[in-house]
Amino acid sequence: MTTLEPVAEIAVLIYPGAQLGAVHGMTDLLSVANLMAQRRYGENAPALRFSQWRPGEDGQRLERVLDSHPGRAGEPDFIVLPPAVVAPITAEDAAPLALWLRRKHDAGATLASVCAGAFLLGETGLLENRSATTHWFYANDFAERFPSARMEIDKLVIDDGDLITAGGIMAWTDLGLKLVDRLMGPTTMLDTARFLLVDPPGREQRHYSVFSPKLRHGDEAILRVQHWLQATGAREATLAAMSDKAGLEPRTFLRRFRKATGLKPTEYCQHLRVGKARETLEATTRSVEQIAWDVGYEDPGAFRKIFIKVTGLSPRDYRHRFGLARLHGAAEPADA
């Protein structure tokens, strides 16, 4: 461990149910960053202080249980809330931790969450009217529990200055590298990424996320349409057909559909069709033109534009990254 004067302390909070793999992984990443800085800059290298904190026996007072610079005074400059192992922390379990986090934030600390750690951050009240992300799997639950937060689920990392949220369960690597970049500079960040063989920050969560429609909104007419769209692949999804299925006038249907699902009907259908296309791209070597037709698009060019809009990747790039046929050595179609 480095003995250089630290430029900042990054604390990882071990809350009830926190994923210890991410806790130790983040600690290792910061240790590697210090090593990379020392090797490149020698005695003039910047260094990070990293620590792990957890509640004491009384469940209230928090204490350092690991410290790269033991014996030094000071408070954490950054506090990282790692993913949860199984499910997000409950409001009851989060209450004492949220108070501690709020006090640290009021004193100048930056708070950062990974995956379901955003639920603990949300309990502080600090995400009200602020942009945030979490794992796509928890997007609807998060929006219901913290409706005043501005959810941007497509983004893997949102750096909002004093609050940083990262989406995927492995996004602690992206968050860690972003902190290294902020505190030690891009050269050390890239050296750390190369050493760990991980991609530098810049990925998007929508490359990986699966469309998870809201179904627990309580509007039976709209839910009936959603079930019909799912069963038919949204192939006959005209406004007239959907309104008729709901038993509503078109204007009323449009208003209630968006209120219930958070999407316009056209956007909802695009997500459904792209979801079907993704499955085919992953599992087969069918051409993009064939897949476009299968999911209801007569114009392959229009399909490509919508696919890029939803996933952030072209169909060819998506297959290149995620296709099972490619992993097994099958030839990729020339027009994919």
Side-chain angles (χ1 to χ4, degrees):
M1 292 186 180
T2 181
T3 58
L4 298 176
E5 187 64 28
V7 298
E9 178 182 351
I10 300 176
V12 185
L13 178 59
I14 308 175
Y15 60 85
Q19 186 191 71
L20 295 181
V23 173
H24 299 310
M26 174 68 79
T27 301
D28 289 342
L29 185 150
L30 299 175
S31 178
V32 168
N34 281 345
L35 175 61
M36 294 297 102
Q38 288 176 25
R39 289 193 171 185
R40 181 174 286 273
Y41 301 111
E43 295 181 356
N44 296 320
L48 297 172
R49 180 182 185 180
F50 50 87
S51 57
Q52 296 175 5
W53 292 63
R54 71 187 319 155
E57 293 183 0
D58 59 5
Q60 301 292 325
R61 182 176 55 85
L62 280 93
E63 56 189 20
R64 287 187 184 92
V65 293
L66 179 145
D67 191 351
S68 64
H69 292 69
R72 281 181 167 85
E75 294 292 329
D77 302 285
F78 295 81
I79 303 174
V80 176
L81 313 178
V85 175
V86 177
I89 192 170
T90 64
E92 181 180 1
D93 288 342
L97 299 172
L99 290 174
W100 181 80
L101 290 167
R102 186 73 187 235
R103 288 197 298 269
K104 295 300 182 185
H105 180 266
D106 290 344
T110 295
L111 306 183
S113 66
V114 181
C115 189
F119 286 77
L120 176 52
L121 182 56
E123 291 295 339
T124 67
L126 294 169
L127 287 178
E128 184 173 352
N129 297 319
R130 300 287 295 271
S131 295
T133 189
T134 185
H135 195 292
W136 60 263
F137 183 82
Y138 295 121
N140 290 343
D141 292 338
F142 187 90
E144 291 178 5
R145 187 161 159 184
F146 306 105
S148 60
R150 296 199 302 270
M151 176 58 57
E152 297 184 43
I153 200 61
D154 285 344
K155 295 185 178 179
L156 195 62
V157 178
I158 296 177
D159 186 346
D160 207 19
D162 59 323
L163 300 175
I164 307 173
T165 52
I169 196 168
M170 294 298 294
W172 57 265
T173 61
D174 300 84
L175 173 62
L177 291 173
K178 181 169 282 291
L179 295 179
V180 171
D181 188 17
R182 181 191 286 198
L183 297 169
M184 305 178 81
T187 300
T188 299
M189 182 274 289
L190 290 172
D191 286 346
T192 303
R194 292 190 190 102
F195 182 88
L196 295 172
L197 298 179
V198 297
D199 291 333
R203 296 179 294 153
E204 295 185 51
Q205 191 166 192
R206 59 179 173 162
H207 297 171
Y208 308 91
S209 63
V210 176
F211 180 47
S212 180
K214 294 181 179 180
L215 300 173
R216 294 183 295 170
H217 44 68
D219 191 325
E220 293 183 4
I222 299 304
L223 183 60
R224 186 163 59 248
V225 174
Q226 289 177 271
H227 287 163
W228 175 70
L229 290 172
Q230 192 72 46
T232 62
R235 292 186 62 89
E236 306 295 331
T238 64
L239 176 58
M242 289 186 285
S243 300
D244 183 65
K245 183 65 65 173
L248 301 170
E249 291 295 323
R251 291 182 62 181
T252 302
F253 167 74
L254 288 171
R255 175 177 54 80
R256 284 173 56 175
F257 190 94
R258 186 161 191 176
K259 180 181 179 181
T261 68
L263 296 169
K264 298 177 182 178
T266 52
E267 295 171 331
Y268 190 95
C269 293
Q270 287 172 357
H271 279 281
L272 282 180
R273 290 169 179 166
V274 167
K276 295 289 186 182
R278 289 168 72 154
E279 293 175 4
T280 309
L281 286 166
E282 292 168 9
T284 76
T285 58
R286 291 174 65 81
S287 71
V288 171
E289 285 75 11
Q290 291 171 320
I291 294 172
W293 179 267
D294 289 343
V295 300
Y297 291 95
E298 296 181 3
D299 181 357
F303 166 71
R304 285 188 177 92
K305 290 179 180 179
I306 291 171
F307 193 93
I308 293 171
K309 176 184 175 182
V310 172
T311 69
L313 296 170
S314 70
R316 179 183 179 86
D317 290 340
Y318 186 88
R319 171 175 272 154
H320 182 81
R321 185 174 296 194
F322 300 109
L324 296 179
R326 184 177 181 84
L327 292 178
H328 291 299
E332 186 175 353
D335 60 351

